[in-house]
Amino acid sequence: MSDAIDLTAPLPDPAAWTCPAPLRDQSRVVMGHGGGGALSAELVRDVFAPAFGGEVLHRLGDAAALSLGGLRLAFSTDSFVVRPLFFPGGSIGDLAVNGTVNDLAVSGARAAYLSCGFILEEGVEIDTVTRVADALGAAARAAGVEVVTGDTKVVEAGHGDGIYINTAGIGLIPAGVDLRPQRVVPGDVVIVSGAIGVHGVAIMSVREGLEFGVEIVSDCAPLGGLVDAMLAVTRDLHMLRDPTRGGLAAALNEIAAAAGAGVVIEERKVPVPPAVANACAVLGLDPMYVANEGKLVAFVPRQHADAVVDAMRAHPRGAEAAIIGEVVRDHPGMVVARTGLGGTRVVDMPLGEQLPRIC
C-alpha cells in the first residue's frame, strides 16, 4: 500500500510553524503583529501607545495632524519590508514614496518633503541598491515631493532581506479640511476609488511563481492629485483612508469602530477585477482583506457623493470609483456586507494578514 501513512515518521513541530494570523494569546512577536489587523492594533494599544503617551498619538490616524507656527501640518512615517524587492508595477522604492505620500494625502495634506532611511544587508549588490534608489527618486518626482534627508545602515549578512526602507513625510493641511473618523455619521456614503486587491495578488504571484493567465500589476501610485480633485468639490469630506495592510475590510472596521457607527456595503458593488477574483479563489483568499497601494476609501456626506464620484472618475487614479455602501445607526462598530444572494455577512476585522511582507 504505497499510500499508507508511516506511523514511525517524526511528527512536525508546531512550535516551528509560522502563521500570518496566529492565535491571539502570544508572549512573542509573530508575523500577524505586522499585518495591520487586530494583532497590530493590540500591539499599538497595549505596548506602544502607553509607552509613548500623548494626545496626538492616541488619535491613531494615518498621519498626525499638528499645529506648528500657525500652520496645520500632517506628519507620517512608514517602513517597507516587501519581498520581492521588484514586482509587476513597482518596487520597494516606489512603495517607500507612495505609502507615505498616500498617508499624508488621506489626511488631507499636500505632501512636500520626505526623509529616507535605507537598511542594507551585507552582500546586497550595489546595482540592486542603485535600481531601488532610482525608482524611489522617480516616484518622489512623480508625486511632487522632495527627499531632503536620510540615513543608511548596514547589517550583517543573514540579518536582513537585502533592503529595508523607512520614509517619513510632512505636508500642509489646507484650511477647512478636517478628516477623521469621529466625523463619520449615519447617512454618509462609502466610496472606493477603484479595483481592490491588486497589489497583494501581484506580490504573491511573483513571490510564489504563480501564473493566472494574465499578468497582475500592482496599483502602487500616489493619491495626492485624486484627493485634491475630491476636495475641489467640497472640503466637507468626513474621512479618507488608504486600505493597505488588511485591505478594505480592515480600513472599514477601523473607521466604524472609531466612529461608533455601523457600515453596510453591497458586495456586488465592490470593484474586484476578474483576474484578482480568480487568483483569490485559487489561493483561498478574500479580496476584501488583500492589500492595496493606490486606492482609497472615502466617507462623504450624501449630498456631495455624486459630485465627488464624478470628480474622482475624471481623474486617472479614480476612473473606476464606485459607491459601495453607507453608514448606518445599527450595529455600531460593525461592518456588514449584503451578498449577491440577498443575505448578509459580517466583515470582521482581520486578525493578522493573509499575505505577509506585501509592503
mmCIF file of all heavy atoms in Angstrom, residues 71-72 107-110 172-180 183 230-239 304:
data_model
loop_
_atom_site.group_PDB
_atom_site.id
_atom_site.type_symbol
_atom_site.label_atom_id
_atom_site.label_comp_id
_atom_site.label_asym_id
_atom_site.label_seq_id
_atom_site.Cartn_x
_atom_site.Cartn_y
_atom_site.Cartn_z
ATOM 1 N N LEU A 71 0.590 77.000 11.379
ATOM 2 C CA LEU A 71 0.274 76.146 10.242
ATOM 3 C C LEU A 71 -0.270 74.808 10.726
ATOM 4 O O LEU A 71 0.052 74.346 11.824
ATOM 5 C CB LEU A 71 1.518 75.897 9.401
ATOM 6 C CG LEU A 71 2.187 77.126 8.784
ATOM 7 C CD1 LEU A 71 3.471 76.724 8.078
ATOM 8 C CD2 LEU A 71 1.246 77.831 7.811
ATOM 9 N N ARG A 72 -1.100 74.178 9.899
ATOM 10 C CA ARG A 72 -1.565 72.824 10.173
ATOM 11 C C ARG A 72 -0.755 71.859 9.319
ATOM 12 O O ARG A 72 -0.771 71.921 8.092
ATOM 13 C CB ARG A 72 -3.061 72.681 9.864
ATOM 14 C CG ARG A 72 -3.965 73.491 10.772
ATOM 15 C CD ARG A 72 -5.411 73.301 10.403
ATOM 16 N NE ARG A 72 -5.848 71.932 10.686
ATOM 17 C CZ ARG A 72 -6.674 71.233 9.914
ATOM 18 N NH1 ARG A 72 -7.117 71.756 8.777
ATOM 19 N NH2 ARG A 72 -7.037 70.015 10.257
ATOM 20 N N SER A 107 -4.984 62.221 4.819
ATOM 21 C CA SER A 107 -5.175 63.114 5.959
ATOM 22 C C SER A 107 -5.514 64.521 5.490
ATOM 23 O O SER A 107 -5.635 65.442 6.306
ATOM 24 C CB SER A 107 -3.905 63.143 6.822
ATOM 25 O OG SER A 107 -3.611 61.852 7.319
ATOM 26 N N GLY A 108 -5.629 64.682 4.173
ATOM 27 C CA GLY A 108 -5.987 65.972 3.600
ATOM 28 C C GLY A 108 -4.803 66.853 3.295
ATOM 29 O O GLY A 108 -4.976 67.990 2.855
ATOM 30 N N ALA A 109 -3.576 66.353 3.507
ATOM 31 C CA ALA A 109 -2.384 67.187 3.350
ATOM 32 C C ALA A 109 -1.808 67.100 1.950
ATOM 33 O O ALA A 109 -1.911 66.066 1.279
ATOM 34 C CB ALA A 109 -1.324 66.774 4.359
ATOM 35 N N ARG A 110 -1.178 68.180 1.536
ATOM 36 C CA ARG A 110 -0.397 68.181 0.308
ATOM 37 C C ARG A 110 1.047 67.886 0.697
ATOM 38 O O ARG A 110 1.743 68.724 1.271
ATOM 39 C CB ARG A 110 -0.521 69.524 -0.404
ATOM 40 C CG ARG A 110 -1.951 69.811 -0.875
ATOM 41 C CD ARG A 110 -2.011 71.056 -1.758
ATOM 42 N NE ARG A 110 -3.353 71.227 -2.306
ATOM 43 C CZ ARG A 110 -4.251 72.078 -1.817
ATOM 44 N NH1 ARG A 110 -3.950 72.808 -0.762
ATOM 45 N NH2 ARG A 110 -5.435 72.178 -2.376
ATOM 46 N N LEU A 172 1.292 70.158 4.241
ATOM 47 C CA LEU A 172 0.374 71.162 4.768
ATOM 48 C C LEU A 172 -1.069 70.717 4.590
ATOM 49 O O LEU A 172 -1.452 70.201 3.543
ATOM 50 C CB LEU A 172 0.572 72.497 4.057
ATOM 51 C CG LEU A 172 1.842 73.284 4.392
ATOM 52 C CD1 LEU A 172 1.962 74.493 3.476
ATOM 53 C CD2 LEU A 172 1.831 73.725 5.845
ATOM 54 N N ILE A 173 -1.881 70.925 5.640
ATOM 55 C CA ILE A 173 -3.319 70.652 5.570
ATOM 56 C C ILE A 173 -4.030 71.966 5.262
ATOM 57 O O ILE A 173 -3.920 72.925 6.025
ATOM 58 C CB ILE A 173 -3.839 70.075 6.895
ATOM 59 C CG1 ILE A 173 -3.073 68.793 7.258
ATOM 60 C CG2 ILE A 173 -5.340 69.794 6.799
ATOM 61 C CD1 ILE A 173 -3.458 68.227 8.620
ATOM 62 N N PRO A 174 -4.756 72.050 4.154
ATOM 63 C CA PRO A 174 -5.442 73.306 3.808
ATOM 64 C C PRO A 174 -6.511 73.674 4.830
ATOM 65 O O PRO A 174 -7.076 72.813 5.513
ATOM 66 C CB PRO A 174 -6.081 72.996 2.443
ATOM 67 C CG PRO A 174 -5.340 71.815 1.916
ATOM 68 C CD PRO A 174 -4.938 71.018 3.117
ATOM 69 N N ALA A 175 -6.786 74.937 4.929
ATOM 70 C CA ALA A 175 -7.833 75.422 5.824
ATOM 71 C C ALA A 175 -9.171 74.807 5.451
ATOM 72 O O ALA A 175 -9.489 74.632 4.269
ATOM 73 C CB ALA A 175 -7.922 76.947 5.753
ATOM 74 N N GLY A 176 -9.955 74.451 6.452
ATOM 75 C CA GLY A 176 -11.282 73.906 6.222
ATOM 76 C C GLY A 176 -11.325 72.414 6.011
ATOM 77 O O GLY A 176 -12.409 71.833 5.882
ATOM 78 N N VAL A 177 -10.161 71.749 5.985
ATOM 79 C CA VAL A 177 -10.114 70.295 5.806
ATOM 80 C C VAL A 177 -9.986 69.633 7.171
ATOM 81 O O VAL A 177 -9.073 69.941 7.942
ATOM 82 C CB VAL A 177 -8.937 69.890 4.903
ATOM 83 C CG1 VAL A 177 -8.828 68.369 4.821
ATOM 84 C CG2 VAL A 177 -9.111 70.480 3.511
ATOM 85 N N ASP A 178 -10.904 68.731 7.475
ATOM 86 C CA ASP A 178 -10.907 68.048 8.775
ATOM 87 C C ASP A 178 -11.335 66.600 8.545
ATOM 88 O O ASP A 178 -12.521 66.275 8.543
ATOM 89 C CB ASP A 178 -11.867 68.751 9.742
ATOM 90 C CG ASP A 178 -11.850 68.134 11.133
ATOM 91 O OD1 ASP A 178 -10.912 67.366 11.434
ATOM 92 O OD2 ASP A 178 -12.776 68.420 11.922
ATOM 93 N N LEU A 179 -10.367 65.736 8.320
ATOM 94 C CA LEU A 179 -10.635 64.335 8.002
ATOM 95 C C LEU A 179 -10.287 63.471 9.200
ATOM 96 O O LEU A 179 -9.114 63.337 9.550
ATOM 97 C CB LEU A 179 -9.808 63.911 6.788
ATOM 98 C CG LEU A 179 -10.103 64.654 5.481
ATOM 99 C CD1 LEU A 179 -9.061 64.308 4.429
ATOM 100 C CD2 LEU A 179 -11.487 64.308 4.980
ATOM 101 N N ARG A 180 -11.287 62.887 9.820
ATOM 102 C CA ARG A 180 -11.074 61.991 10.960
ATOM 103 C C ARG A 180 -12.317 61.145 11.148
ATOM 104 O O ARG A 180 -13.440 61.551 10.804
ATOM 105 C CB ARG A 180 -10.748 62.770 12.229
ATOM 106 C CG ARG A 180 -11.694 63.920 12.532
ATOM 107 C CD ARG A 180 -11.151 64.826 13.625
ATOM 108 N NE ARG A 180 -11.965 66.018 13.759
ATOM 109 C CZ ARG A 180 -13.029 66.127 14.554
ATOM 110 N NH1 ARG A 180 -13.390 65.083 15.306
ATOM 111 N NH2 ARG A 180 -13.713 67.238 14.620
ATOM 112 N N ARG A 183 -15.859 62.209 12.558
ATOM 113 C CA ARG A 183 -16.799 62.994 11.764
ATOM 114 C C ARG A 183 -17.747 62.112 10.951
ATOM 115 O O ARG A 183 -18.697 62.620 10.352
ATOM 116 C CB ARG A 183 -16.043 63.944 10.821
ATOM 117 C CG ARG A 183 -15.213 64.993 11.540
ATOM 118 C CD ARG A 183 -14.814 66.098 10.587
ATOM 119 N NE ARG A 183 -15.996 66.822 10.113
ATOM 120 C CZ ARG A 183 -16.131 67.330 8.896
ATOM 121 N NH1 ARG A 183 -15.177 67.145 7.987
ATOM 122 N NH2 ARG A 183 -17.230 67.984 8.549
ATOM 123 N N MET A 230 -11.040 65.685 -5.230
ATOM 124 C CA MET A 230 -12.196 65.484 -4.359
ATOM 125 C C MET A 230 -12.445 66.714 -3.489
ATOM 126 O O MET A 230 -13.585 67.161 -3.319
ATOM 127 C CB MET A 230 -11.967 64.251 -3.487
ATOM 128 C CG MET A 230 -11.825 62.957 -4.272
ATOM 129 S SD MET A 230 -11.201 61.586 -3.282
ATOM 130 C CE MET A 230 -12.599 61.295 -2.184
ATOM 131 N N LEU A 231 -11.355 67.281 -2.952
ATOM 132 C CA LEU A 231 -11.505 68.466 -2.091
ATOM 133 C C LEU A 231 -11.932 69.691 -2.887
ATOM 134 O O LEU A 231 -12.486 70.637 -2.325
ATOM 135 C CB LEU A 231 -10.197 68.740 -1.361
ATOM 136 C CG LEU A 231 -9.815 67.723 -0.274
ATOM 137 C CD1 LEU A 231 -8.418 68.005 0.258
ATOM 138 C CD2 LEU A 231 -10.826 67.750 0.874
ATOM 139 N N ALA A 232 -11.668 69.700 -4.213
ATOM 140 C CA ALA A 232 -12.124 70.815 -5.045
ATOM 141 C C ALA A 232 -13.641 70.828 -5.157
ATOM 142 O O ALA A 232 -14.242 71.887 -5.393
ATOM 143 C CB ALA A 232 -11.488 70.718 -6.432
ATOM 144 N N VAL A 233 -14.281 69.653 -4.989
ATOM 145 C CA VAL A 233 -15.747 69.583 -4.992
ATOM 146 C C VAL A 233 -16.287 70.127 -3.684
ATOM 147 O O VAL A 233 -17.204 70.949 -3.649
ATOM 148 C CB VAL A 233 -16.217 68.130 -5.210
ATOM 149 C CG1 VAL A 233 -17.741 68.034 -5.083
ATOM 150 C CG2 VAL A 233 -15.760 67.628 -6.559
ATOM 151 N N THR A 234 -15.738 69.653 -2.573
ATOM 152 C CA THR A 234 -16.141 70.109 -1.242
ATOM 153 C C THR A 234 -15.054 69.767 -0.248
ATOM 154 O O THR A 234 -14.435 68.690 -0.345
ATOM 155 C CB THR A 234 -17.464 69.466 -0.785
ATOM 156 O OG1 THR A 234 -17.749 69.893 0.558
ATOM 157 C CG2 THR A 234 -17.401 67.956 -0.821
ATOM 158 N N ARG A 235 -14.819 70.645 0.695
ATOM 159 C CA ARG A 235 -13.876 70.337 1.770
ATOM 160 C C ARG A 235 -14.586 69.639 2.927
ATOM 161 O O ARG A 235 -13.957 69.292 3.923
ATOM 162 C CB ARG A 235 -13.169 71.607 2.242
ATOM 163 C CG ARG A 235 -12.301 72.202 1.141
ATOM 164 C CD ARG A 235 -11.251 73.143 1.642
ATOM 165 N NE ARG A 235 -10.334 73.499 0.554
ATOM 166 C CZ ARG A 235 -9.287 74.304 0.687
ATOM 167 N NH1 ARG A 235 -9.023 74.850 1.867
ATOM 168 N NH2 ARG A 235 -8.499 74.571 -0.336
ATOM 169 N N ASP A 236 -15.872 69.421 2.748
ATOM 170 C CA ASP A 236 -16.656 68.742 3.779
ATOM 171 C C ASP A 236 -16.644 67.227 3.573
ATOM 172 O O ASP A 236 -17.672 66.566 3.676
ATOM 173 C CB ASP A 236 -18.099 69.266 3.776
ATOM 174 C CG ASP A 236 -18.905 68.743 4.973
ATOM 175 O OD1 ASP A 236 -18.286 68.473 6.023
ATOM 176 O OD2 ASP A 236 -20.138 68.591 4.842
ATOM 177 N N LEU A 237 -15.469 66.683 3.245
ATOM 178 C CA LEU A 237 -15.307 65.234 3.281
ATOM 179 C C LEU A 237 -15.102 64.834 4.740
ATOM 180 O O LEU A 237 -14.452 65.547 5.496
ATOM 181 C CB LEU A 237 -14.100 64.801 2.446
ATOM 182 C CG LEU A 237 -14.067 65.252 0.974
ATOM 183 C CD1 LEU A 237 -12.781 64.762 0.317
ATOM 184 C CD2 LEU A 237 -15.285 64.751 0.226
ATOM 185 N N HIS A 238 -15.641 63.692 5.137
ATOM 186 C CA HIS A 238 -15.563 63.319 6.546
ATOM 187 C C HIS A 238 -14.349 62.457 6.871
ATOM 188 O O HIS A 238 -13.717 62.647 7.916
ATOM 189 C CB HIS A 238 -16.848 62.603 6.961
ATOM 190 C CG HIS A 238 -18.004 63.525 7.097
ATOM 191 N ND1 HIS A 238 -19.313 63.105 7.273
ATOM 192 C CD2 HIS A 238 -18.062 64.894 7.066
ATOM 193 C CE1 HIS A 238 -20.111 64.151 7.362
ATOM 194 N NE2 HIS A 238 -19.380 65.242 7.221
ATOM 195 N N MET A 239 -14.009 61.509 6.004
ATOM 196 C CA MET A 239 -12.919 60.596 6.319
ATOM 197 C C MET A 239 -12.388 59.962 5.044
ATOM 198 O O MET A 239 -13.161 59.592 4.150
ATOM 199 C CB MET A 239 -13.404 59.495 7.268
ATOM 200 C CG MET A 239 -12.352 58.479 7.665
ATOM 201 S SD MET A 239 -11.001 59.242 8.621
ATOM 202 C CE MET A 239 -9.820 57.882 8.662
ATOM 203 N N HIS A 304 -23.108 65.335 -1.214
ATOM 204 C CA HIS A 304 -21.935 65.591 -2.063
ATOM 205 C C HIS A 304 -21.462 64.349 -2.823
ATOM 206 O O HIS A 304 -20.551 64.445 -3.651
ATOM 207 C CB HIS A 304 -20.774 66.106 -1.207
ATOM 208 C CG HIS A 304 -21.066 67.352 -0.437
ATOM 209 N ND1 HIS A 304 -21.560 68.492 -1.024
ATOM 210 C CD2 HIS A 304 -20.918 67.641 0.894
ATOM 211 C CE1 HIS A 304 -21.708 69.437 -0.103
ATOM 212 N NE2 HIS A 304 -21.335 68.939 1.060
#
